[in-house]
C-alpha cells in the first residue's frame, strides 16, 4: 500500500511547440514559459485553485485535467489519497498550440508521483511518460514537456518512445500568440485522411533536415521548416496565422504554425528584436529560449 508524503509538493512544467513545420506528430521543443503547480494530500475532499491563463474556462472538480492525470498516476501506483488540494498558476496560453494540455497532464502525473513516498520506485520516468502519452493520445508535446529540450517521439510495437537531441545554442524562438484560440480537435478535423506520396516524401526529407538544422546547422532552418501535410490545410480555422507565417517566411524567417495553432513560432538568433517588432496588433509576443529541462519537482 502506498504511503503519502506530508506537506505540499511543487512542480513546474514548460510550454512546448510540436510539429515545427514538417515534423507532424513527431517533433517537439520545450520553451522557457512554465506553469507552476502545487498539491498536497488532505484528509478528505478536493480543492482546486487556478490562477492565470485559462483560469476562467477550466473546472474546479474531478474533471480538471491535472486532477484526472493525478488520479491515473495514483491508480498506477496502487493507492488513491483520501483528499487532495491542487493549486495551479498558469502561464502557458490555452488553446493556442503551446502544449497547455500536455503540460497539465505531465504536471499531474509528476505531482502524483512526488506525493507518494518512494514514488520513483513505483513509477519510473519511462512509465510516467507512457502514461502521460496514453492520456494525451500522442507524444509530440508530452515528450518535451516531460523530458525538456528537443525530442523526437512516436509509437513502435505498442510502446511510446522519446529520443532527445541537442539544440544548437544559437537558436532562440519567438512566439506570436493571437487573442483567440483554436481547439486542437477543430484543427485536426481539417486534415485530410490521405496525402499524395510526393508530399509525404517531401515532408520526410524536410523533417530529417530539421533535425540536422536544430542540432547544429541552423543556417538550414528556413528550408527545413517547410511543410506540406498540415499547415495550409488548417488555414480555414486560422487565416491570420497562415498569413503571418507566409509573410515571415517570404522575408527569410523560419516560421511555422506552433502545434495545432493558432500561435506562430519563428526561429531566431541572439538578436530577435526584428522579429518581435513583427507582432500583429492585439497579439502577444514572447521571446523565448529552448528550455533544456522538462517537468521539475521543486
Amino acid at each position: 500500500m502506498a504511503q503519502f508524503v506530508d506537506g505540499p509538493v511543487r512542480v513546474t512544467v514548460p510550454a512546448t511547440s510540436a510539429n515545427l513545420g514538417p515534423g507532424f506528430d513527431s517533433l517537439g521543443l520545450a520553451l522557457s514559459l512554465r506553469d507552476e503547480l502545487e498539491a498536497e494530500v488532505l484528509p478528505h475532499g478536493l480543492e482546486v485553485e487556478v490562477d492565470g491563463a485559462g483560469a476562467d474556462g477550466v473546472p474546479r472538480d474531478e474533471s480538471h485535467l491535472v486532477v484526472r492525470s493525478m488520479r491515473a498516476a495514483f491508480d498506477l501506483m496502487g493507492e488513491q489519497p483520501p483528499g487532495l488540494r491542487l493549486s495551479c498558476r498558469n502561464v502557458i496560453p490555452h488553446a493556442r498550440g503551446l502544449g497547455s494540455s500536455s503540460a497539465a497532464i505531465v504536471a499531474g502525473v509528476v505531482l502524483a508521483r512526488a506525493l507518494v513516498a518512494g514514488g520513483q520506485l513505483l513509477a519510473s520516468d519511462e512509465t510516467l511518460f507512457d502514461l502521460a502519452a496514453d492520456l494525451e493520445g500522442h507524444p509530440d508535446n508530452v515528450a518535451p514537456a516531460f523530458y525538456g529540450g528537443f525530442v523526437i517521439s512516436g509509437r513502435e510495437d505498442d510502446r511510446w518512445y522519446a529520443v532527445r537531441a541537442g539544440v544548437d545554442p544559437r537558436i532562440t524562438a519567438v512566439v506570436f500568440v493571437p487573442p483567440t484560440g483554436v481547439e486542437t480537435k477543430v484543427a485536426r478535423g481539417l486534415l485530410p485522411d490521405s496525402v499524395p506520396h510526393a508530399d509525404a516524401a517531401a515532408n520526410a526529407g524536410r523533417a530529417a533536415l530539421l533535425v540536422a538544422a536544430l542540432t547544429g546547422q541552423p543556417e538550414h532552418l528556413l528550408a527545413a521548416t517547410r511543410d506540406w501535410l498540415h499547415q495550409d490545410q488548417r488555414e480555414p480555422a486560422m487565416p491570420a496565422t497562415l498569413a503571418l507565417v507566409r509573410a515571415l517566411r517570404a522575408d527569410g524567417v523560419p516560421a511555422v504554425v506552433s502545434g495545432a495553432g493558432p500561435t506562430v513560432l519563428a526561429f531566431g538568433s541572439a538578436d530577435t528584436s526584428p522579429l518581435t517588432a513583427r507582432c500583429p496588433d492585439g497579439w502577444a509576443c514572447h521571446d523565448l529560449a529552448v528550455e533544456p529541462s522538462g517537468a521539475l519537482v521543486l
Side-chain angles (χ1 to χ4, degrees):
M1 180 179 294
Q3 299 294 316
F4 300 104
V5 303
D6 294 328
V9 297
R10 286 190 298 148
V11 167
T12 67
V13 186
T16 54
S17 182
N19 301 329
L20 308 178
F24 183 66
D25 278 2
S26 61
L27 301 183
L29 194 67
L31 301 171
S32 58
L33 198 66
R34 283 180 167 269
D35 285 350
E36 184 173 315
L37 303 92
E38 181 178 282
E40 66 180 320
V41 173
L42 300 178
H44 55 81
L46 174 66
E47 301 173 11
V48 179
E49 304 168 359
V50 184
D51 291 315
D56 295 337
V58 297
R60 266 64 167 181
D61 55 21
E62 291 284 347
S63 64
H64 190 284
L65 184 54
V66 176
V67 176
R68 287 190 279 130
S69 303
M70 293 179 75
R71 295 297 189 194
F74 285 131
D75 282 342
L76 181 72
M77 292 180 286
E79 189 77 13
Q80 289 288 340
L84 277 174
R85 179 186 68 81
L86 171 67
S87 176
C88 306
R89 287 173 286 280
N90 295 340
V91 176
I92 303 169
H94 284 208
R96 297 300 195 280
L98 288 170
S100 60
S101 65
S102 288
I105 290 168
V106 169
V109 299
V110 173
L111 276 171
R113 182 173 69 178
L115 285 170
V116 173
Q120 290 275 359
L121 300 176
L122 297 172
S124 66
D125 282 354
E126 184 180 58
T127 299
L128 273 198
F129 167 68
D130 283 345
L131 175 60
D134 282 340
L135 291 169
E136 180 73 320
H138 44 89
D140 51 344
N141 287 103
V142 166
F146 192 89
Y147 292 112
F150 173 45
V151 190
I152 302 101
S153 60
R155 193 167 181 85
E156 177 73 17
D157 295 333
D158 298 324
R159 293 294 305 273
W160 302 106
Y161 65 84
V163 179
R164 293 192 70 195
V167 177
D168 190 293
R170 293 170 288 178
I171 293 174
T172 59
V174 174
V175 293
F176 303 90
V177 185
T180 56
V182 174
E183 293 295 333
T184 300
K185 64 182 179 181
V186 173
R188 280 189 173 268
L190 294 170
L191 301 182
D193 293 332
S194 61
V195 297
H197 186 276
D199 288 351
N203 251 57
R206 297 306 171 102
L209 180 61
L210 181 54
V211 174
L214 285 172
T215 56
Q217 300 179 69
E219 64 271 18
H220 296 295
L221 276 170
L222 182 61
T225 48
R226 187 175 175 188
D227 166 75
W228 282 263
L229 297 187
H230 68 99
Q231 294 191 157
D232 290 345
Q233 291 83 347
R234 288 168 163 162
E235 186 171 10
M238 53 192 85
T241 291
L242 270 298
L244 180 57
V245 167
R246 290 180 185 131
L248 289 169
R249 294 186 68 84
D251 291 337
V253 178
V256 298
V257 177
S258 180
T263 290
V264 173
L265 179 143
F267 287 109
S269 58
D271 180 14
T272 56
S273 55
L275 285 180
T276 56
R278 302 285 296 270
C279 192
D281 290 342
W283 291 41
C285 183
H286 302 281
D287 187 355
L288 304 174
V290 175
E291 176 55 66
S293 300
L296 295 173
V297 178
L298 302 178

